[in-house]
């Protein structure tokens, strides 16, 4: 009987792509992949180690599997991903019940590691970060009609609060031809929505081709016939060029959506964060984007409670949110990460104040979202169907203005009984519910 291997992948879509490549490697070796991680011989925990809450989630998952191992239900536990890369031997010191810790540069050795643990060996593998496979066959773990496509790895931006460059290494783009071939393969697997990811998607190609090449890549991807929506996440504001905006505006398959993490608006805070643009430039850019691509959905993320953030600077951030009126926004309480420059800054804002400030931003954004959603009433919107809400007796899905997992949904009724996941339908909106829209299919 084949050894059963299960995997839990935590954190961002970029980490999920790494997990999918490992799963294919494991499957090709002859192991049996199982979805029920409580019913397997080996569990791989692909961790996130970006901020404190992500680390806590990873540790909670590991402890859960240690308990299952102690009960005799699991033979070995393999920890991979960002937490493994960042803390290495410390993990085994803290949790000696773990059988293996594998840094991101040794993901390709996952089958070797699994075999060693099954022979009773405790394993540590830490290859060079640059050895991480960012291409190759994958076992898709998303819903069948969308997939993430990693176009680069690592980061050179060195924001003072962020440990990603330490964990993932220098920025490195994938060759365009390789990305296009993978996108074509994904289309043959039934993928209709392609979502490009990297630590900094707008830097794509600078290292390989000497210039920002995301616009050129997007044009080529739009030629793939079976793809319907193409979305890009993690766009740094200083690298959003007119060429990129013109491509987004002109190409029908590119959803009119930009995810542009800004983190703050106050010039002093932005300088301390080592962010590339000040407030005036940012406001000018946002206005420019909205003029170049009318109707575009703008998403951003902000950090509240950065070291030294005063009440006045936070009030400026609140006013910025009110004035700019982002279509989508997430705000996080600053997380003090060891090894980063921000962790050494003083004064550190007390944790309860950070949390409250983040909550206040999100409360304001909820009001903005509800007002913007009310303006959608009566409009016809194309929706990709994601499933059925049996309790509410309706379908639900997303519009082009909503990325999976992070944005809202559209709930709708339909007289059509033959819909399946991934169908595109036209919905007329007749109500709102906080971040979500409610309507009925237009037949």
């Amino acid at each position: 009987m084949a050894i059963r291997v299960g995997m839990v992948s935590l954190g961002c879509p970029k980490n999920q792509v790494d997990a999918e490549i490992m799963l294919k490697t494991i499957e090709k070796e002859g192991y049996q992949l199982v979805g029920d991680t409580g019913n397997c011989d080996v569990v791989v925990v692909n961790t996130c180690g970006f901020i404190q809450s992500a680390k806590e989630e990873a540790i909670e998952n590991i402890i859960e599997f240690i308990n299952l191992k102690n009960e005799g239900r699991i033979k070995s536990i393999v920890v991979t991903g960002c937490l493994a890369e960042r803390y290495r031997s410390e993990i085994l010191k803290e949790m000696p019940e773990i059988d293996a810790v594998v840094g991101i540069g040794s993901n390709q050795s996952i089958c070797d590691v699994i075999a060693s643990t099954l022979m009773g060996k405790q394993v540590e593998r830490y290859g060079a970060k640059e050895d991480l496979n960012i291409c190759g066959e994958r076992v898709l773990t998303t819903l069948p009609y969308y997939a993430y496509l990693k176009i680069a790895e690592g980061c050179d931006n060195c924001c003072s609060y962020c440990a990603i460059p330490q964990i993932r290494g220098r920025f490195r783009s994938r060759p365009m031809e390789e990305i296009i071939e993978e996108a074509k393969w994904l289309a043959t697997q039934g993928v209709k929505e392609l979502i490009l990811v990297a630590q900094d998607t707008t830097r794509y190609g600078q290292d390989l081709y000497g210039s920002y090449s995301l616009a050129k890549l997007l044009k080529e991807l739009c030629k793939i016939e079976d793809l319907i929506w193409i979305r890009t996440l993690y766009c740094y504001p200083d690298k959003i060029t007119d060429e990129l905006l013109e491509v987004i505006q002109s190409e029908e398959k590119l959803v009119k959506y930009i995810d542009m993490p800004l983190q703050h608006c106050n010039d002093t805070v932005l300088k301390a964060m080592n962010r590339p643009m000040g407030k005036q430039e940012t406001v000018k850019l946002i206005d420019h984007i909205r003029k170049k691509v009318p109707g575009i959905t703008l998403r951003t993320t902000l950090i509240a409670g950065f070291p030294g953030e005063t009440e006045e600077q936070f009030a400026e951030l609140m006013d910025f949110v009110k004035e700019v009126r982002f279509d989508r926004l997430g705000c996080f309480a600053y997380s003090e990460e060891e090894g980063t420059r921000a962790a050494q800054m003083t004064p550190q804002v007390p944790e309860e104040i950070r949390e409250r400030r983040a909550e206040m931003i999100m409360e304001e954004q909820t009001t903005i979202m509800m007002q913007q959603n009310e303006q959608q009433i009566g409009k016809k919107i194309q929706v990709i169907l994601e499933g059925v809400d049996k309790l509410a007796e309706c379908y639900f899905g997303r519009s082009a203005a909503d990325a999976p997992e992070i944005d809202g949904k559209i709930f709708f009724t339909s007289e059509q009984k033959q819909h399946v996941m991934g169908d595109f339908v036209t919905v007329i909106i007749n109500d709102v519910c906080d971040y979500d829209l409610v309507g009925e299919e237009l037949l």
Side-chain angles (χ1 to χ4, degrees):
M1 184 176 174
I3 298 292
R4 297 162 301 166
V5 179
M7 180 180 284
V8 173
S9 188
L10 306 169
C12 68
K14 301 177 286 293
N15 207 38
Q16 187 172 352
V17 173
D18 295 345
E20 291 176 344
I21 293 172
M22 280 192 285
L23 284 170
K24 189 63 180 182
T25 303
I26 292 166
E27 183 182 62
K28 287 172 73 173
E29 189 70 14
Y31 294 106
Q32 180 187 347
L33 299 180
V34 294
D36 181 5
T37 50
N39 186 33
C40 60
D41 300 300
V42 180
V43 65
V44 180
V45 187
N46 190 41
T47 59
C48 176
F50 180 45
I51 57 176
Q52 186 61 33
S53 59
K55 289 183 280 188
E56 288 170 0
E57 183 185 19
I59 291 165
E60 286 169 8
N61 273 269
I62 293 167
I63 290 171
E64 181 182 332
F65 292 119
I66 287 172
N67 291 336
L68 291 177
K69 182 184 173 185
N70 291 338
E71 293 170 9
R73 294 169 59 185
I74 288 175
K75 294 178 182 175
S76 71
I77 302 165
V78 179
V79 177
T80 64
C82 288
L83 194 77
E85 177 66 30
R86 188 173 183 186
Y87 294 104
R88 300 193 170 196
S89 297
E90 290 178 46
I91 296 174
L92 283 180
K93 287 176 186 174
E94 294 295 325
M95 293 177 282
E97 300 91 344
I98 292 170
D99 298 276
V101 177
V102 181
I104 62 168
S106 293
N107 281 2
Q108 69 275 12
S109 303
I110 189 68
C111 293
D112 227 19
V113 170
I114 289 171
S116 295
T117 65
L118 290 171
M119 290 188 290
K121 298 177 182 177
Q122 194 173 57
V123 182
E124 290 184 78
R125 294 275 178 91
Y126 310 113
K129 295 173 176 61
E130 293 71 25
D131 290 342
L132 170 67
N133 280 343
I134 56 176
C135 64
E137 295 178 90
R138 296 156 57 185
V139 173
L140 296 179
T141 59
T142 50
L143 293 171
Y145 50 83
Y146 78 88
Y148 296 104
L149 178 56
K150 190 189 288 192
I151 64 172
E153 181 55 84
C155 188
D156 289 346
N157 291 309
C158 298
C159 301
S160 65
Y161 52 82
C162 183
I164 290 298
Q166 302 168 30
I167 298 169
R168 292 277 172 171
R170 298 293 304 272
F171 182 86
R172 49 204 186 276
S173 301
R174 293 176 62 186
M176 195 174 297
E177 299 77 16
E178 184 182 276
I179 294 170
I180 292 164
E181 281 306 305
E182 184 171 351
K184 288 178 179 177
W185 173 77
L186 288 168
T188 67
Q189 303 304 299
V191 170
K192 299 177 182 179
E193 180 182 7
L194 190 67
I195 305 170
L196 306 190
V197 294
Q199 305 298 337
D200 178 356
T201 52
T202 35
R203 187 185 284 266
Y204 172 75
Q206 186 187 40
D207 52 329
L208 290 182
Y209 309 118
S211 62
Y212 301 143
S213 304
L214 179 60
K216 296 182 181 68
L217 173 62
L218 288 170
K219 274 188 176 181
E220 291 302 313
L221 292 173
C222 286
K223 296 175 184 177
I224 300 174
E225 188 175 342
D226 293 328
L227 296 177
I228 297 174
W229 284 353
I230 301 173
R231 186 185 306 275
T232 306
L233 302 181
Y234 315 118
C235 300
Y236 266 65
D238 60 313
K239 305 179 193 74
I240 295 177
T241 63
D242 275 354
E243 182 187 16
L244 177 60
L245 294 176
E246 284 159 12
V247 170
I248 293 172
Q249 169 59 21
S250 61
E251 291 287 352
E252 188 178 337
K253 291 186 178 184
L254 297 181
V255 297
K256 308 311 178 229
Y257 178 106
I258 290 182
D259 169 51
M260 182 174 66
L262 296 175
Q263 314 306 2
H264 215 280
C265 71
N266 175 268
D267 287 343
T268 302
V269 175
L270 288 166
K271 186 176 180 181
M273 286 180 165
N274 196 36
R275 296 293 293 179
M277 290 174 67
K279 182 180 181 180
Q280 190 175 353
E281 290 176 283
T282 301
V283 171
K284 188 176 177 181
L285 173 65
I286 291 167
D287 185 54
H288 184 63
I289 291 171
R290 285 173 166 164
K291 285 177 180 174
K292 293 285 283 187
V293 190
I296 193 164
T297 297
L298 279 181
R299 157 171 270 283
T300 196
T301 52
L302 302 173
I303 295 173
F306 187 79
E309 183 190 63
T310 64
E311 289 288 349
E312 291 76 18
Q313 289 167 342
F314 173 69
E316 185 179 348
L317 184 62
M318 280 287 287
D319 289 340
F320 177 71
V321 170
K322 291 175 185 177
E323 290 162 12
V324 174
R325 296 180 67 83
F326 290 97
D327 303 284
R328 309 284 184 265
L329 183 149
C331 185
F332 302 91
Y334 166 72
S335 177
E336 189 176 334
E337 296 302 311
E338 62 268 39
T340 63
R341 283 186 291 130
Q344 305 303 315
M345 294 178 183
T346 56
Q348 294 282 327
V349 177
E351 190 171 344
E352 62 273 16
I353 295 178
R354 302 178 206 171
E355 295 287 349
R356 180 57 189 144
R357 288 178 181 178
E359 287 171 9
M360 289 171 68
I361 295 285
M362 290 312 299
E363 286 166 6
E364 181 60 38
Q365 181 63 19
T366 299
T367 301
I368 292 169
M369 280 285 296
M370 288 183 70
Q371 292 168 350
Q372 290 177 332
N373 279 347
E374 284 168 3
Q375 294 172 9
Q376 301 301 309
I377 293 175
K379 291 186 179 179
K380 300 170 186 176
I381 297 178
Q382 188 183 40
V383 174
I384 188 166
L385 192 148
E386 293 190 305
V388 177
D389 187 324
K390 293 181 180 178
L391 192 63
E393 297 183 333
C394 67
Y395 293 106
F396 63 87
R398 289 180 292 108
S399 72
D402 300 297
E405 307 294 332
I406 56 175
D407 293 327
K409 295 188 180 299
I410 297 176
F411 294 86
F412 64 95
T413 56
S414 174
E415 295 178 10
Q416 169 64 263
K417 303 298 183 184
Q418 302 302 316
H419 281 314
V420 296
M421 282 199 304
D423 281 353
F424 281 86
V425 299
T426 301
V427 173
I428 185 163
I429 304 302
N430 54 35
D431 202 357
V432 302
C433 181
D434 295 333
Y435 288 104
D436 302 319
L437 299 172
V438 180
E440 57 183 301
E441 183 182 5
L442 199 63
L443 298 175

